[in-house]
Amino acid sequence: MVVTRRMSNSHDSDSVEELPASPDDSPIPSTRTKATKKRVTLSSAHEAKFYHTSESEDEATHVQRDMDNFEVQDITLEFFYKPHSLTLLACSLSVLFVACWYRSDEDELANQSKGFLTLSCFFVLGLSVLVFPNGPFIRPHPAVWRMVFGASVLYLCGLVYGVCLNKRQIQFFLNYYDDQIDFNKTDDKVYASDCWSVSWEHISHRLDVFVLAHFLGYVSKAVMLRSHALLWTISITWEVTEMLFMHVLPNFEECLWDQIILDVLLCNGLGIVIGMWICKKLEMRTYDWESIKYINTPTGKMKRALLQFTPASWTRVRWFPTGHGSKSYIFTRIRLVFQILLLCQVNELNCFCLKHIFRLPTEHPFTIGRLVLTGLCVCPTVRQYYTFTTDSRCKRLGTQCWVFIAITAVEMFACARFGWDEIFARLEPVFVLYWLLAQIVASVCCVYFMILHSKYHANKPPPPRFKVKSR
């Protein structure tokens, strides 16, 4: 068996290696011949990125297809991967019939709300399972990532519709879904009071949903970005962002020990360490999958079912690969890092601005739901952005990445439109210039540490790998 391996970086895109067959790649002798045929072996999965399906297939088309619509190969449980389009159509029409039949002609707002929920939950999300692309991921099931993409498109449409309304109309809709929101009262916590009084009472006052979001967010960022330099740059620049914009957002006012110890070192730092540890463990694996229907023991079936929520393969991420030290390449890397920093900072600023403008509490379902949706959308977004910026064969930005950038931009428009007098009119232009300068300096420093890391690991052997069996 010979596997064609393609390197993931743009300067290595023309180099193709033929990997000789290894004992791990050969079929395992078994009396179950069907099981042997259905095995999916992905050796060197953390280095190999794309595989040929035919010698005549165009490389750029193959790369673009894998980034936007990665296909599941060697399907054994066909029931879970069939479209079931007629069943979905029947269920959607049944729900529509019930929603239309049980309605009140007197309550027009309730009818509009019910119509919006029916449209969004059953038709847009249901239609996304049928027609939207898989994206770059297939675990635990491609339908999950199609629904994530559908939810992001639905959220983008809601934002576009919302910016065409006025603030009173949006408050009316928010108040309809939650009449407990007080639009005359701000929910911004004051974190900068009694900074020299360090006690459990003051520390517990600072513990809210954003502390957990800090930690889990940086665990997921580490798993997606897989770069110490980039992760610490994002963490530190966000604290700089809070200091420069604290005069318009009281939520950003914090004690110095809160920013350094609780935020940077504990929440963000611990999340980075755990996330990179997970990446290291997954990168050392050789993946060998077998269908659950060919496993006989209940324990083996349970283990295989749980492993369905782990990656099917692992791609080695190198934002600054070894051997590329030209000035033009370094400037390109600085520009790409600056784009990542700017997108991350603006997206997180939007969260705090929207919460402040519409007086949403920190633990409100709208706030938490936006954080969850953003976290799910970022996973394929980072993969598509990495492929687009590091592989010269990829000519078009991925669909989920495009939608995520559009969401961030429209959210920023909404913040400017509804919070101009409250936030942007009070914003000092010099602080915006300082903020942009800080992002540029941080990007340069980040690339510098990437170069040092690349030189340090240039001659080091790859870490030992072990096989992960599906039972």
Side-chain angles (χ1 to χ4, degrees):
M1 176 180 179
V2 177
V3 179
T4 303
R5 181 179 71 187
R6 298 181 178 280
M7 305 305 293
S8 61
N9 297 293
S10 59
H11 292 267
D12 296 327
S13 60
D14 297 330
S15 63
V16 178
E17 298 183 25
E18 299 241 323
L19 301 180
S22 63
D24 295 335
D25 293 329
S26 59
I28 299 176
S30 174
T31 57
R32 301 188 303 267
T33 56
K34 292 183 179 180
T36 304
K37 293 180 181 179
K38 296 297 183 180
R39 301 182 74 91
V40 181
T41 303
L42 294 175
S43 64
S44 300
H46 67 287
E47 293 180 354
K49 186 174 184 181
F50 302 108
Y51 298 87
H52 271 308
T53 56
S54 65
E55 293 296 333
S56 61
E57 186 174 12
D58 182 70
E59 293 183 1
T61 305
H62 188 75
V63 171
Q64 196 73 47
R65 186 192 65 191
D66 284 353
M67 181 183 67
D68 272 341
N69 194 17
F70 194 85
E71 298 179 356
V72 182
Q73 310 201 357
D74 295 309
I75 298 174
T76 54
L77 297 178
E78 296 182 358
F79 174 80
F80 293 101
Y81 291 92
K82 286 184 177 180
H84 301 288
S85 55
L86 294 179
T87 304
L88 182 61
L89 178 61
C91 294
S92 300
L93 292 177
S94 301
V95 172
L96 178 61
F97 175 77
V98 174
C100 294
W101 189 265
Y102 293 98
R103 64 180 182 85
S104 174
D105 294 331
E106 299 177 358
D107 194 348
E108 296 182 0
L109 186 60
N111 291 337
Q112 295 176 5
S113 174
K114 187 181 295 184
F116 175 76
L117 293 177
T118 304
L119 172 68
S120 61
C121 296
F122 292 98
F123 274 89
V124 176
L125 295 183
L127 192 64
S128 66
V129 176
L130 291 178
V131 301
F132 283 174
N134 297 338
F137 302 135
I138 58 174
R139 291 293 184 91
H141 194 279
V144 175
W145 298 107
R146 293 178 203 157
M147 292 185 68
V148 169
F149 182 63
S152 63
V153 171
L154 187 64
Y155 180 59
L156 176 61
C157 294
L159 287 174
V160 173
Y161 176 74
V163 294
C164 298
L165 305 178
N166 55 44
K167 188 175 181 180
R168 183 184 57 81
Q169 291 173 318
I170 294 180
Q171 289 176 344
F172 179 77
F173 280 110
L174 291 175
N175 199 26
Y176 174 78
Y177 288 104
D178 186 5
D179 55 0
Q180 302 297 323
I181 301 178
D182 187 1
F183 296 107
N184 297 319
K185 177 183 177 182
T186 60
D187 188 61
D188 295 328
K189 284 187 177 181
V190 179
Y191 296 101
S193 61
D194 298 331
C195 291
W196 297 106
S197 177
V198 182
S199 62
W200 173 248
E201 181 181 356
H202 288 86
I203 295 177
S204 61
H205 176 70
R206 290 162 171 78
L207 300 179
D208 52 21
V209 67
F210 283 101
V211 174
L212 183 62
H214 267 280
F215 172 73
L216 296 179
Y218 275 88
V219 172
S220 60
K221 285 177 184 177
V223 173
M224 291 181 290
L225 296 174
R226 309 171 198 174
S227 170
H228 281 285
L230 192 55
L231 291 166
W232 283 106
T233 302
I234 294 175
S235 176
I236 295 174
T237 50
W238 174 248
E239 300 304 322
V240 175
T241 301
E242 287 185 338
M243 289 189 292
L244 291 176
F245 293 118
M246 67 172 60
H247 63 286
V248 293
L249 290 172
N251 212 179
F252 286 170
E253 296 182 6
E254 295 178 332
C255 300
L256 187 61
W257 60 268
D258 189 356
Q259 288 183 316
I260 297 177
I261 298 177
L262 287 183
D263 291 347
V264 177
L265 297 181
L266 287 182
C267 296
N268 302 353
L270 189 61
I272 291 173
V273 170
I274 293 178
M276 294 301 293
W277 176 81
I278 294 174
C279 293
K280 183 178 179 181
K281 291 298 181 182
L282 293 176
E283 188 174 327
M284 294 166 59
R285 294 183 172 186
T286 299
Y287 296 86
D288 186 10
W289 300 106
E290 185 174 0
S291 174
I292 192 172
K293 74 176 185 178
Y294 298 121
I295 300 175
N296 298 323
T297 62
T299 305
K301 289 181 179 292
M302 181 63 69
K303 179 181 178 181
R304 179 62 182 85
L306 294 176
L307 287 175
Q308 186 68 19
F309 293 89
T310 62
S313 62
W314 193 256
T315 302
R316 245 181 130 182
V317 172
R318 295 295 179 266
W319 292 95
F320 197 98
T322 307
H324 302 291
S326 63
K327 292 183 178 180
S328 61
Y329 186 79
I330 292 175
F331 284 129
T332 302
R333 295 293 100 181
I334 293 175
R335 176 175 56 84
L336 296 179
V337 171
F338 176 76
Q339 292 173 355
I340 295 176
L341 290 180
L342 201 63
L343 188 62
C344 289
Q345 307 296 316
V346 172
N347 185 267
E348 295 190 17
L349 273 173
N350 290 340
C351 179
F352 287 93
C353 290
L354 292 173
K355 187 174 74 73
H356 177 77
I357 293 170
F358 295 106
R359 305 297 190 262
L360 294 176
T362 302
E363 63 280 357
H364 196 274
F366 288 159
T367 306
I368 298 176
R370 183 197 172 277
L371 291 176
V372 173
L373 179 61
T374 301
L376 291 175
C377 293
V378 165
C379 297
T381 296
V382 172
R383 170 56 50 194
Q384 292 176 349
Y385 179 80
Y386 176 78
T387 305
F388 178 72
T389 56
T390 59
D391 198 323
S392 59
R393 296 169 295 177
C394 182
K395 305 300 182 182
R396 180 173 59 85
L397 189 64
T399 51
Q400 180 65 83
C401 186
W402 188 94
V403 171
F404 183 78
I405 295 175
I407 287 175
T408 304
V410 177
E411 282 185 341
M412 185 177 62
F413 297 158
C415 294
R417 186 175 186 275
F418 300 117
W420 184 264
D421 295 332
E422 196 170 358
I423 295 178
F424 288 85
R426 299 166 48 209
L427 190 62
E428 296 290 340
V430 65
F431 287 112
V432 179
L433 295 178
Y434 289 157
W435 178 69
L436 292 174
L437 182 61
Q439 307 304 313
I440 296 174
V441 173
S443 302
V444 174
C445 296
C446 179
V447 173
Y448 174 74
F449 284 109
M450 285 182 178
I451 296 174
L452 295 181
H453 183 271
S454 176
K455 291 181 179 179
Y456 177 74
H457 290 275
N459 299 321
K460 293 184 66 175
R465 294 158 51 206
F466 60 92
K467 178 175 289 187
V468 177
K469 294 186 178 180
S470 57
R471 60 175 189 165

